[in-house]
Amino acid sequence: MLLGHDFLVQNEVTWDYTTSTIHLGSNRRTTACWKGRIPTPSPALDVDKLTINGDHHTRAKLAEVVRNYPDVFNGRVGRTRLIEHDILLKNHTPIALKPYPYPPVKQAIIDTMIRDMEEQGLVEQSTSPWATPIVLAKKKDGSPRLCIDYK
């Protein structure tokens, strides 16, 4: 459905054909995804390399689920567009905190992680008056995890 030009301009609508999304507004962003998107192929997870705890029957059932849904169990981070929600605030004054300073090595890791998420369509540039710093946390395996510090 194509809406009138006046509506598109008034609501600051942008179209992103690479991710099959429509963005409405610059301050209060709303995103919609249209059907027919061609998913990017992802490498299948090698079930034989998984460590699955439990009895033989449970392991077999879990392995079958992983094999039947390779697009879900592909090792890549994703997001769902099944539902959107609004967060209702008591105080509408934007909070903008400055980013935490990081040494160049950690900043390079952060930049790489953000660039990867942008390429996957998980995050996008924002002009929002709201800002929250990010932190790097260590995963159990010692690799970094990008987190948002909402405290």
Side-chain angles (χ1 to χ4, degrees), residues 9-28:
V9 171
Q10 179 182 0
N11 290 285
E12 300 178 30
V13 175
T14 58
W15 300 68
D16 185 349
Y17 290 98
T18 58
T19 60
S20 302
T21 55
I22 303 170
H23 305 283
L24 294 107
S26 60
N27 291 335
R28 182 175 174 234

Side-chain angles (χ1 to χ4, degrees), residues 75-91:
R76 290 182 50 204
V77 177
R79 69 177 179 187
T80 181
R81 290 186 172 96
L82 295 176
I83 190 168
E84 291 187 15
H85 70 281
D86 292 325
I87 299 173
L88 303 176
L89 304 171
K90 293 179 183 176
N91 183 358

Side-chain angles (χ1 to χ4, degrees), residues 20-138:
S20 302
T21 55
I22 303 170
H23 305 283
L24 294 107
S26 60
N27 291 335
R28 182 175 174 234
R29 302 282 288 181
T30 302
T31 302
C33 180
W34 64 80
K35 293 182 179 180
R37 179 177 179 207
I38 301 169
T40 55
S42 55
L45 186 63
D46 187 359
V47 178
D48 297 327
K49 292 184 180 177
L50 290 178
T51 303
I52 302 174
N53 295 327
D55 59 72
H56 176 71
H57 180 70
T58 303
R59 289 194 308 267
K61 287 178 92 172
L62 286 173
E64 181 182 352
V65 169
V66 172
R67 280 191 195 94
N68 290 338
Y69 300 97
D71 54 330
V72 175
F73 298 100
N74 60 20
R76 290 182 50 204
V77 177
R79 69 177 179 187
T80 181
R81 290 186 172 96
L82 295 176
I83 190 168
E84 291 187 15
H85 70 281
D86 292 325
I87 299 173
L88 303 176
L89 304 171
K90 293 179 183 176
N91 183 358
H92 296 285
T93 305
I95 298 171
L97 302 174
K98 294 181 181 181
Y100 297 140
Y102 282 101
V105 173
K106 285 191 177 182
Q107 187 62 50
I109 293 170
I110 292 170
D111 294 342
T112 301
M113 293 174 90
I114 291 174
R115 188 172 36 259
D116 290 345
M117 288 187 286
E118 283 177 330
E119 289 172 0
Q120 294 177 36
L122 300 174
V123 297
E124 61 186 33
Q125 291 283 333
S126 174
T127 58
S128 171
W130 297 80
T132 304
I134 57 173
V135 294
L136 281 180
K138 281 189 180 180

